[in-house]
Amino acid sequence: MGLENRLIDLMLDLHTHTVVSGHAYSTLKENIEAARAKGLKGFAVTDHGPAMPGVLGDAYHVVNMKLAVPKVMEDIRIIRGFEANIIDYEGKTDLPTEFSPSVEFIIASLHEICIVPSSREENTAGVINAMASGYVDAIGHPDGFKFPLDYLAITEAAYEYGIALEVNNNSLKGEVRGDTRHNYLELLRLAKKNRVYVAAGSDSHFYVSIGELDMARDILEEVDYPKELIINSSVESFDEFIRLRGNERKIL
Ligand SMILES: [Zn+2]
Ligand SMILES: [Zn+2]
């Protein structure tokens, strides 16, 4: 089914990787071509932070994107993003704070290769502390896999700090992160009640999965998620979200 025929439009893919991540297999050019072929209006380049083994460079690559890569290329909006690793339960990430203004969209995620999973309480505290840090715009794959989370506390904090929660299509596929569908249903019902922004992403590590958002869209439709809170429904809704985030942290 074409993107235009769905109840919920997801015109941007807000979580994608390139070869910079070390364990992903496509170049930026290949991802741009894939985005165009899928009918997207744009996507966020969100390579992993340097605490992830195998990542190329020290995160400076995202700073230079502003000079090297156009913001819009052949009608595709290219968002300078970053998937920072939460590296302690104080909420610290591996994106140097001086680099933060160069990034338009900072996702912070828990990965067991970068931080040892803890109790539900401590995992939740780590995520909330990252939101409170002022250097994060979204929480990546809060799917409860390996890192159980208190979704009521997470959604209340996300509302308080104006942070988006990610609906990660890759988590929902169940190939990598187990069956997390029931967790997302619980999360999204609470997020809807608490008026929290959400961001859908493919978490693509190879160009063929750029724009693969069907399962995220299905679950958002299932809970009848308010369209105005889905930040990647259009370029305009994303730009409005980062305009609001710009009040919280400097974005150049
Ligand atoms: Zn990855
Ligand atoms: Zn991730």
Side-chain angles (χ1 to χ4, degrees):
M1 193 183 288
L3 293 172
E4 65 283 357
N5 297 324
R6 301 295 297 253
L7 291 174
I8 289 177
D9 287 332
L10 297 174
M11 301 311 294
L12 305 171
D13 181 348
L14 291 180
H15 190 153
T16 72
H17 296 273
T18 73
V19 285
V20 168
S21 285
H23 59 265
Y25 309 94
S26 297
T27 63
L28 181 53
K29 180 169 186 277
E30 288 163 343
N31 286 353
I32 293 168
E33 287 167 356
R36 187 177 306 109
K38 295 277 179 74
L40 294 178
K41 299 283 188 212
F43 66 99
V45 184
T46 55
D47 281 307
H48 288 285
M52 176 71 69
V55 166
L56 306 182
D58 64 354
Y60 179 72
H61 61 83
V62 71
V63 177
N64 197 45
M65 259 188 90
K66 189 172 168 60
L67 297 174
V69 179
K71 193 170 177 176
V72 179
M73 213 176 147
E74 296 170 51
D75 292 332
I76 302 287
R77 169 85 160 87
I78 303 166
I79 297 158
R80 279 173 282 126
F82 195 83
E83 186 181 12
N85 294 292
I86 297 173
I87 52 173
D88 67 30
Y89 287 104
E90 306 299 309
K92 188 176 187 326
T93 79
D94 62 350
L95 177 66
T97 53
E98 68 271 26
F99 290 177
S100 141
S102 300
V103 189
E104 294 177 282
F105 187 58
I106 304 173
I107 301 175
S109 303
L110 289 163
H111 297 112
E112 63 172 329
I113 201 166
C114 302
I115 184 170
V116 179
S118 185
S119 63
R120 186 171 182 258
E121 290 65 34
E122 202 170 30
N123 297 335
T124 302
V127 168
I128 292 175
N129 288 336
M131 292 194 224
S133 72
Y135 293 105
V136 163
D137 304 312
I139 298 299
H141 42 75
D143 53 29
F145 180 66
K146 301 282 184 183
F147 294 91
L149 295 168
D150 176 342
Y151 286 146
L152 180 59
I154 295 284
T155 55
E156 286 175 350
Y159 176 77
E160 180 184 347
Y161 296 113
I163 305 286
L165 298 177
E166 182 186 58
V167 183
N168 185 296
N169 202 79
N170 203 30
S171 303
L172 284 162
K173 282 203 302 198
E175 290 164 11
V176 182
R177 299 198 179 99
D179 178 14
T180 59
R181 199 184 134 70
H182 56 283
N183 292 346
Y184 273 114
L185 279 175
E186 183 194 344
L187 175 71
L188 288 172
R189 287 184 178 127
L190 289 165
K192 180 181 172 184
K193 202 180 290 177
N194 285 318
R195 302 286 302 165
V196 173
Y197 290 114
V198 294
S202 67
D203 207 351
S204 172
H205 286 67
F206 190 46
Y207 74 94
V208 293
S209 49
I210 294 284
E212 205 170 78
L213 298 168
D214 278 356
M215 297 193 76
R217 190 184 289 108
D218 285 348
I219 204 163
L220 288 166
E221 287 178 355
E222 187 175 335
V223 300
D224 193 20
Y225 211 83
K227 282 181 194 164
E228 67 276 15
L229 296 174
I230 303 171
I231 67 169
N232 57 315
S233 55
S234 67
V235 174
E236 293 71 28
S237 43
F238 177 77
D239 284 338
E240 172 63 10
F241 174 76
I242 59 164
R243 191 188 64 76
L244 293 172
R245 292 298 307 150
N247 298 332
E248 305 297 319
R249 70 174 184 91
K250 202 168 159 202
I251 303 173
L252 297 174

